Amino acid sequence: MKSITEIFKGLELTESEYTFIQERCQKLELSKGDILLEKGQPTLSQYYVLEGCLRSFFEDTHERDHTLQFAIHDWWISDYTAFFDGNPAVLTIESIQKTTVLEFSREAQIEIFENIPKVESFFREKMEHSFGAFQKRIINDLSKTAKEKYLDFLQTHKEIETHIKNYHIASFLGITTESLSRIRREIAKH
Amino acid sequence: MKSITEIFKGLELTESEYTFIQERCQKLELSKGDILLEKGQPTLSQYYVLEGCLRSFFEDTHERDHTLQFAIHDWWISDYTAFFDGNPAVLTIESIQKTTVLEFSREAQIEIFENIPKVESFFREKMEHSFGAFQKRIINDLSKTAKEKYLDFLQTHKEIETHIKNYHIASFLGITTESLSRIRREIAKH
DNA sequence: TGAAAAAATTGATCTATGATAAGAAAAGAC
DNA sequence: GTCTTTTCTTATCATAGATCAATTTTTTCA
């Protein structure tokens, strides 16, 4: 069974440290379509995906949605702006298949950091990598065509791609489903 | 004279802590057009802007450049992907006017963190906010028209706008200077 | 397994922004 | 203060991707 021993792999935590962490997080089971975080709500937690797939998205004023992030096994997800500064969420997080997550509240996280300092470094490193991923995403958005973005997505999200509907990929790339469909035909031809 | 006392305002550091930090950073004077970091180089430092203005940008395969970030007084800048994971820089950082920065190497930073822990928390918070800014930027890129992005830029970069040429703003927004010019005319009409 | 719902594709047209090419305005240099 | 260079604007035309409207394919589940 997938559990917290997996999250901190590489850290070599003791039994008691694991227990300490385990007591401060909560396992949640989600069905396809369930909403884990609703925009407008306070964002008090960060989530670790054990199994399944989530996506975070932004609904614009025209009721169109724009996917910020997908998260499968071993990924973290939240509305980080909201989580960090205490504002209500601007993102919604939904389960796009049967998913199991571990929920860590801000307080739990701080308590864990204070008691097991190497977990804080672990989190900082995770965040540094996410930061890099965001930087790369912005560069891609600025410099690539829709087709190039799609090809890049297939590369960088290899393990994810099969879980996800094309209309969600389109929403991540910032194009319509129709355009994605044409791009796919283009690619298939060659 | 602007100096490191300003960087960590709110932290209430002692004289000796300031000295410790001061001995581990380096003040650099840049003229307009100087390159602080060149793509392809190892990225060993992070920079704090005392005065002036820098921009980081990405050069694509068509030799077009795309601005990721501007930094004026009291902002930090680097190629964070490169800085964090040790890869060569993909970004170039140039001075777009006479600028003074403080350079902190990765090692200096770690040494400072180890000796003055509250500085580590200070940096983590800085990074959390930058993270939020990147999240917002991606959402804007996905959901807004060029005109909306420009109006948003004027809001969020109020103090910066006067330092920056329109062609750099266009490069930040992901549009051509000609398009920006049209947008500006549009806005002026109303 | 077969009907209903969801997702993907296709075609025709439209539109925002890009490309190219001048010219005008502003900023710097001497 | 004028000359040169840089930056900004304008006009025209081209194009990637959006929109609208079906239709086909795939998935779901009774």
Side-chain angles (χ1 to χ4, degrees), chain A residues 79-81 120 124 135, chain B residues 79-81 120 124 135 139:
Chain A
D79 178 342
Y80 288 103
T81 9
E120 177 163 20
R124 196 187 44 246
Q135 177 178 302
Chain B
D79 178 341
Y80 288 102
T81 9
E120 177 163 20
R124 197 187 44 248
Q135 177 178 302
I139 290 168

Side-chain angles (χ1 to χ4, degrees), chain B residues 35-45 47 79 82-83 86-93:
Chain B
I35 301 295
L36 183 56
L37 172 70
E38 179 94 41
K39 66 157 193 240
Q41 289 175 347
T43 306
L44 306 169
S45 301
Y47 305 92
D79 178 341
F83 182 65
N87 288 336
V90 295
L91 302 179
T92 298
I93 301 178

